[in-house]
Amino acid sequence: MNQDKLWEPSRRIELQYARALRNLARTLIKITKGKSPSEIIDTLEEYAKSRAFIGFAEKVAMKMVTGLFRDVGHSWRRAAYKNGKGRELYEALMKELQGKRGAHLDWLIRDNTYRIVTLPENIGKDVATYIERESLKGRRASDIEREIAKMFPQHTKANAELIARTQVSYTQTNLIRVRAESMGLNWYVWRAVGGGKGDGRTRSSHAAMSGVLVNWNDPPAPEDLFPRFTKTGRPYRNTLGHYHAGQAPNCRCYPETIVDLEEIDSFPARVYMNGRIVTMSRKQIEQLIGGLD
Ligand SMILES: [Zn+2]
């Protein structure tokens, strides 16, 4: 069985979610078409408060989160099955399903709903900020208005797409993490789509993270570990900080839970520890992870 595929977020859920957000962007563009900037801001504000829209956001978030939850549950069962500790993992999973599951899922649904619900308002704020900034430069109101009319559709689509591309991975990682930690599985392998070479869209720092062991309590800062440099030789400023696989904007990476050493591609393996990446032998990793027998 292909381990990589086992933990990768389902394409189907991603596509469904992206489609819903694209439709939302289209609606926002339609209802503001031909309006002045101040009318656009009012329209977006009003739309954000409408029952129909909030219902839509809840439905889309719920579908995405529960879909991922089901898939992650499936991944756990498959991992448990292929692993000698099947029974143990299965029982822990069952217990977790009855316990904290509800609260965590509710939180994830609410968090994702919030991101959608605040989208129209945030775009409205961007419009307001743009007007303010350009007016301060002394630009003519009619010019600013024309520019907004031109940029609005693109800006709205880009914002919706960013949510679509970011939230599925983010939520998936969150679901995997809660479950892994409740079972005392504190390490995962960082997996980048396309592996160490990436697939052309993978950022170089994440491709470099591919295959590195990470502890849930110690997220790395890939941009600091693998800095990119400007033409003048200075490293780009790291605005993302420390985070786990799948939890940066536009990131499609995912964590592969280490259930046993099978998940590790080869030895010695790279491990993220104390702010840097070190190379460790099989024996050292066995000791580090512990309890895997
Ligand atoms: Zn990534």
Side-chain angles (χ1 to χ4, degrees):
M1 174 183 26
N2 188 337
Q3 270 298 317
D4 293 2
K5 284 275 184 289
L6 185 60
W7 297 101
E8 203 173 336
S10 137
R11 266 310 267 160
R12 176 181 46 82
I13 294 169
E14 259 176 41
L15 291 174
Q16 246 172 21
Y17 188 67
R19 199 181 312 127
L21 280 156
R22 257 199 315 273
N23 284 339
L24 170 62
R26 228 173 273 140
T27 304
L28 296 180
I29 293 164
K30 207 168 95 191
I31 61 172
T32 52
K33 202 169 182 217
K35 294 190 170 169
S36 73
S38 63
E39 285 169 343
I40 291 178
I41 295 169
D42 290 347
T43 305
L44 291 175
E45 213 170 277
E46 207 173 294
Y47 185 76
K49 284 187 209 138
S50 71
R51 276 207 155 282
F53 169 59
I54 295 167
F56 161 85
E58 276 167 356
K59 210 177 90 191
V60 170
M62 171 126 39
K63 199 168 175 188
M64 187 266 272
V65 173
T66 52
L68 287 177
F69 177 78
R70 218 179 29 234
D71 275 23
V72 169
H74 184 66
S75 305
W76 275 114
R77 279 190 291 279
R78 301 257 307 259
Y81 176 74
K82 86 166 185 78
N83 182 272
K85 294 162 97 186
R87 184 90 230 147
E88 209 177 304
L89 283 173
Y90 183 76
E91 275 167 12
L93 177 63
M94 286 299 114
K95 215 168 100 189
E96 193 245 337
L97 281 174
Q98 294 150 8
K100 283 188 244 152
R101 174 193 86 156
H104 183 233
L105 273 194
D106 273 359
W107 179 81
L108 282 176
I109 292 167
R110 254 182 297 137
D111 181 55
N112 277 289
T113 304
Y114 175 80
R115 272 161 222 275
I116 300 171
V117 164
T118 47
L119 179 76
E121 224 179 296
N122 287 340
I123 295 170
K125 276 185 200 148
D126 290 346
V127 172
T129 309
Y130 188 79
I131 296 170
E132 204 179 286
R133 203 180 57 213
E134 296 303 302
S135 309
L136 278 175
K137 287 185 195 162
R139 311 235 355 244
R140 286 204 341 231
S142 56
D143 287 346
I144 300 173
E145 199 162 317
R146 225 185 348 263
E147 272 171 17
I148 288 173
K150 218 174 111 193
M151 292 181 325
F152 187 82
Q154 192 44 43
H155 184 72
T156 303
K157 276 186 215 154
N159 273 277
E161 269 164 29
L162 179 65
I163 295 182
R165 279 197 305 258
T166 302
Q167 284 308 111
V168 176
S169 296
Y170 190 90
T171 304
Q172 165 96 350
T173 294
N174 211 308
L175 283 167
I176 292 173
R177 176 182 186 164
V178 165
R179 213 163 255 190
E181 287 189 320
S182 75
M183 294 179 193
L185 302 171
N186 293 316
W187 291 87
Y188 71 84
V189 183
W190 184 300
R191 293 289 179 203
V193 176
K197 291 194 179 70
D199 69 349
R201 289 197 292 139
T202 314
R203 65 196 94 180
S204 57
S205 56
H206 289 197
M209 280 301 294
S210 185
V212 173
L213 276 62
V214 177
N215 189 296
W216 283 119
N217 296 309
D218 186 17
E223 282 69 26
D224 289 340
L225 293 168
F226 304 102
R228 285 196 314 126
F229 297 92
T230 62
K231 280 197 184 115
T232 60
R234 274 199 308 192
Y236 279 101
R237 201 161 65 87
N238 177 7
T239 53
L240 297 170
H242 292 252
Y243 55 87
H244 286 296
Q247 301 208 306
N250 285 324
C251 176
R252 295 168 298 142
C253 301
Y254 56 94
E256 189 182 308
T257 308
I258 300 178
V259 178
D260 59 32
L261 296 189
E262 292 286 294
E263 276 84 25
I264 300 164
D265 307 325
S266 60
F267 295 95
R270 293 180 303 148
V271 180
Y272 174 73
M273 266 180 98
N274 303 323
R276 57 199 191 93
I277 291 173
V278 294
T279 303
M280 293 176 95
S281 68
R282 186 184 180 106
K283 194 145 198 72
Q284 284 172 311
I285 288 172
E286 272 172 14
Q287 272 165 8
L288 176 75
I289 294 175
L292 290 177
D293 55 20

